[in-house]
Amino acid sequence: MNKISIEKVNVKYANENISISDLFIDGYSLQEILKSTFKKEFSKGRFKEFFVPILGIDFSSKLESDNDSFTNLLPHKNQSVITPIYGCHDDCCLYVFIQVSRKDNIIIWNKIGRNSNFIFDKDSINNEIEWLDLFKEYHFDIENYKTVINKLK
């Protein structure tokens, strides 16, 4: 079982060092995990920037989609949903999404992906998620997960 938490990290922004919250999995920054595991995917454009965690925050005004599986809510038992976990620092863009499922009291991150609108070598804007190959699932206790979501709200 993995453990998710919110911890403060120091980042450079506008030539200043600031402290902001980030998602941590088993004691490691999720952004650092993504940027070291998927170097090519997180080395260009907005994907090389520092993201702001938005897990569980209402984003309905930022994403127009007919897909009923997009939500900011916890999935019901035996349900799978897609939700954003990272956005930009000025709260206008959604960058990174996860596919989340629930089995009893276990929350599972099945997939992680990037918003294709911010991938520079794409030919068109199509509001799709580019799922990352080789992502290893994370499993969280539902109470641990709810605690983190409530801290971000």
Side-chain angles (χ1 to χ4, degrees):
M1 188 82 56
N2 301 102
K3 181 170 173 64
I4 188 170
S5 61
I6 295 289
E7 297 182 30
K8 293 289 185 181
V9 294
N10 292 318
V11 297
K12 192 146 190 126
Y13 179 74
N15 295 322
E16 297 289 331
N17 285 322
I18 61 171
S19 179
I20 63 173
S21 297
D22 192 17
L23 295 169
F24 277 67
I25 309 290
D26 299 329
Y28 296 95
S29 162
L30 179 58
Q31 292 188 60
E32 294 305 317
I33 292 170
L34 292 173
K35 290 175 182 180
S36 64
T37 305
F38 303 100
K39 290 179 183 174
K40 178 183 172 201
E41 291 84 353
F42 288 91
S43 65
K44 296 180 189 174
R46 295 198 179 171
F47 293 105
K48 68 181 178 186
E49 297 175 6
F50 191 83
F51 309 131
V52 175
I54 57 173
L55 182 64
I57 296 173
D58 183 10
F59 65 90
S60 57
S61 65
K62 295 175 180 55
L63 184 66
E64 294 181 23
S65 175
D66 296 330
N67 188 338
D68 290 337
S69 66
F70 281 104
T71 182
N72 61 309
L73 304 174
L74 283 171
H76 298 291
K77 287 184 181 177
N78 301 317
Q79 180 189 28
S80 180
V81 297
I82 297 169
T83 189
I85 57 171
Y86 283 119
C88 66
H89 61 277
D90 57 0
D91 197 31
C92 66
C93 303
L94 304 171
Y95 294 144
V96 181
F97 291 82
I98 51 174
Q99 181 187 58
V100 184
S101 61
R102 179 175 169 188
K103 303 272 191 225
D104 297 317
N105 290 325
I106 306 295
I107 296 295
I108 304 164
W109 286 8
N110 306 99
K111 295 189 215 178
I112 195 160
R114 306 181 302 161
N115 183 336
S116 66
N117 290 344
F118 300 103
I119 300 172
F120 291 119
D121 55 357
K122 292 282 184 178
D123 292 330
S124 64
I125 295 176
N126 51 15
N127 288 319
E128 291 182 1
I129 298 171
E130 177 193 71
W131 297 110
L132 302 175
D133 295 332
L134 307 176
F135 175 75
K136 296 179 183 167
E137 292 183 347
Y138 289 117
H139 298 79
F140 307 103
D141 174 78
I142 194 166
E143 294 306 317
N144 170 223
Y145 199 76
K146 286 180 181 178
T147 300
V148 168
I149 286 176
N150 289 332
K151 286 182 181 179
L152 288 171
K153 287 184 177 179

